[in-house]
Amino acid sequence: MTKQFDSDPENWPQPIDGELGATDEGPRDVMRDKENPDMSVPPRTDSGTFYNLKFSYSDTHRRMEKGGWSREVTIRELPAAEDLAGVNMRLTAGGVRELHWHKEAEWAYMINGTARVTCIDPEGHSYIDDVAAGGLWYFPAGFPHSIKGLTDCEFLLIFDDGQFSENSTFLLSDFFAHIPKRVLAKNFGVDESAFDNIPDSELYIYQGDVPGSIEEEQPKNRNGQPPKPFTFNLFDQEPIKTSGGKVWIADSSNFEVSKTVAIALVELEPGGVRELHWHPNGQEWQYWLQGQGVMGVYNSAGQARHFNYREGDVGLVPYAAGHYIENTGDETLRFIEAFKSDRFADLSVNQWLSQVPARLVKEHLGVDDDFIDNALCSEKRPNVKFD
Ligand code: MN
Ligand code: MN
């Protein structure tokens, strides 16, 4: 028994709610039970059979390489996650995620440190940029790209297909290793001996040198820039402020190339609530960046479930399911909500009910005029729609 938590079973939380439940004398993972109070003893409003909507990066396999590591949460880890998959990656200074491409578009958020990314479009335009914390990139499906740490850096990658795997991308080294050297020589118009030192299998991540400035590293015969940048600074915009927190949105309305991934980065102060809402344009895939909270999800036909999350967790909301998130910790909660869509969109219950006849609301919910005036018509209503 770890010393980190109270080893005295007398002090363990017990799954007893009034007259419901019974003690759990073990075997049990008390650390995890304590992390998941709303799963261990659910609110009585929870009911029905439900998808699992939580997977922690701490429960994934970490692929270890010289120059960094990666780990992924895909449909294999979280079977309801059909729309999007996520990879958490760290590179050392000079560490390289090698030149590669894949069938899925790639969206990224730089969590800390700085990296240099490269990409070309099908017209051969060359794109090179440095991305610091709070920076995003988006590479359309099939466009070849690379990532190199300028400092030690960590980022979240999101791909627009839950089936994606970071271990099945198309790699420059793997491609060359599977073409006869006679053909490589003919392709480049050089002698076969030019390829004496090519790797015989994939590099994936390797330790390289920290590069100089972008100016110093320009290709000799550079073709010029693509029409729209593949990078974007999320925090260059003023956040939307509400009484409970702040929101920054990035979608194709401000980050034009990002045609298949739309996101909001949400900050909730302690006790703050991301109001009751749902999304008309797909599943919500979440990455929890900081703090802890609880999410309640309603998925029609009496199905409802609560899940507890902490930083490093992935959360999911089924398409069109109603939900809310509450900061249950004592620090600012930060999470990213991502959608396979060209735009961020949500439907707020507060806004909905404020825009239909009050008589309908009163008939449905048994509420009175005070509720209509204070909750729906007041400028001071506690939760404000984000967009
Ligand atoms: Mn990639
Ligand atoms: Mn949502």
Side-chain angles (χ1 to χ4, degrees):
M1 178 58 60
T2 175
K3 296 281 193 300
Q4 194 178 345
F5 284 99
D6 199 325
S7 59
D8 182 356
E10 289 290 310
N11 297 322
W12 290 357
Q14 292 296 347
I16 295 174
D17 175 15
E19 74 281 16
L20 302 182
T23 60
D24 182 349
E25 302 297 326
R28 60 185 292 196
D29 186 334
V30 176
M31 288 191 289
R32 299 190 79 139
D33 287 346
K34 287 187 172 184
E35 285 185 357
N36 297 304
D38 297 280
M39 301 161 82
S40 193
V41 182
R44 293 195 181 197
T45 46
D46 279 11
S47 71
T49 304
F50 220 85
Y51 303 104
N52 177 48
L53 300 181
K54 172 183 178 177
F55 202 93
S56 174
Y57 273 104
S58 295
D59 288 329
T60 62
H61 164 76
R62 197 190 311 260
R63 181 169 175 178
M64 307 285 283
E65 302 287 345
K66 287 175 183 163
W69 52 255
S70 68
R71 46 188 185 171
E72 63 186 15
V73 175
T74 71
I75 199 166
R76 289 167 288 281
E77 287 75 25
L78 195 52
E82 295 173 351
D83 286 2
L84 299 169
V87 170
N88 176 211
M89 187 177 293
R90 180 122 180 119
L91 295 175
T92 59
V96 178
R97 171 67 173 95
E98 80 159 289
L99 289 161
H100 71 284
W101 71 100
H102 30 74
K103 298 173 191 171
E104 305 79 7
E106 170 178 321
W107 177 99
Y109 172 78
M110 184 60 72
I111 298 168
N112 57 54
T114 306
R116 176 163 302 162
V117 295
T118 73
C119 186
I120 71 159
D121 66 16
E123 287 71 45
H125 298 126
S126 162
Y127 190 81
I128 306 175
D129 198 16
D130 293 343
V131 180
L136 312 182
W137 67 74
Y138 180 92
F139 301 137
F143 286 28
H145 53 277
S146 66
I147 311 160
K148 183 172 207 169
L150 297 175
T151 66
D152 289 1
C153 61
E154 184 170 340
F155 42 92
L156 174 74
L157 302 168
I158 294 178
F159 301 87
D160 62 356
D161 186 341
Q163 295 285 351
F164 174 85
S165 173
E166 183 61 13
N167 301 317
S168 53
T169 62
F170 298 82
L171 307 175
L172 177 67
S173 57
D174 197 38
F175 193 9
F176 274 44
H178 293 90
I179 300 295
K181 287 184 182 167
R182 179 187 63 77
V183 176
L184 291 174
K186 213 167 185 178
N187 186 76
F188 289 98
V190 297
D191 192 81
E192 274 188 50
S193 64
F195 304 101
D196 283 351
N197 298 319
I198 62 170
D200 53 14
S201 62
E202 68 178 45
L203 295 171
Y204 180 61
I205 289 173
Y206 67 88
Q207 183 61 52
D209 297 326
V210 178
S213 69
I214 291 178
E215 281 309 308
E216 290 165 350
E217 303 260 329
Q218 293 286 358
K220 281 183 189 161
N221 57 347
R222 189 174 181 190
N223 254 344
Q225 293 268 1
K228 305 289 182 194
F230 291 123
T231 57
F232 182 76
N233 289 317
L234 183 61
F235 299 118
D236 276 358
Q237 60 187 313
E238 277 299 304
I240 299 161
K241 294 193 174 98
T242 77
S243 60
K246 295 178 193 164
V247 187
W248 294 261
I249 291 170
D251 63 18
S252 62
S253 69
N254 55 1
F255 182 20
E256 289 183 58
V257 296
S258 192
K259 299 283 193 216
T260 62
V261 178
I263 68 102
L265 190 150
V266 180
E267 277 189 8
L268 287 181
E269 294 310 316
V273 173
R274 172 79 170 91
E275 63 174 329
L276 291 171
H277 69 283
W278 69 94
H279 303 273
N281 54 346
Q283 300 185 328
E284 174 174 332
W285 194 99
Q286 299 160 351
Y287 180 66
W288 290 59
L289 286 160
Q290 175 186 300
Q292 65 178 63
V294 62
M295 178 166 72
V297 183
Y298 158 70
N299 198 32
S300 83
Q303 298 173 66
R305 186 69 54 86
H306 281 72
F307 293 86
N308 300 100
Y309 301 91
R310 308 166 66 80
E311 67 180 60
D313 288 343
V314 172
L316 192 77
V317 182
Y319 174 45
H323 56 287
Y324 77 92
I325 290 171
E326 182 179 17
N327 182 350
T328 55
D330 51 17
E331 64 174 325
T332 302
L333 166 63
R334 303 181 101 210
F335 62 93
I336 289 170
E337 41 185 85
F339 305 87
K340 183 175 180 174
S341 180
D342 63 341
R343 71 195 192 284
F344 178 84
D346 69 0
L347 286 154
S348 147
V349 172
N350 293 47
Q351 189 167 67
W352 180 29
L353 298 185
S354 73
Q355 300 302 316
V356 296
R359 183 189 304 279
L360 274 177
V361 178
K362 290 192 281 186
E363 286 173 356
H364 278 78
L365 299 177
V367 294
D368 57 17
D369 286 320
D370 280 351
F371 174 84
I372 302 294
D373 292 341
N374 296 326
L376 300 181
C377 299
S378 167
E379 289 301 308
K380 290 187 293 185
R381 62 194 178 87
N383 301 303
V384 177
K385 187 170 157 59
F386 286 162
D387 55 344

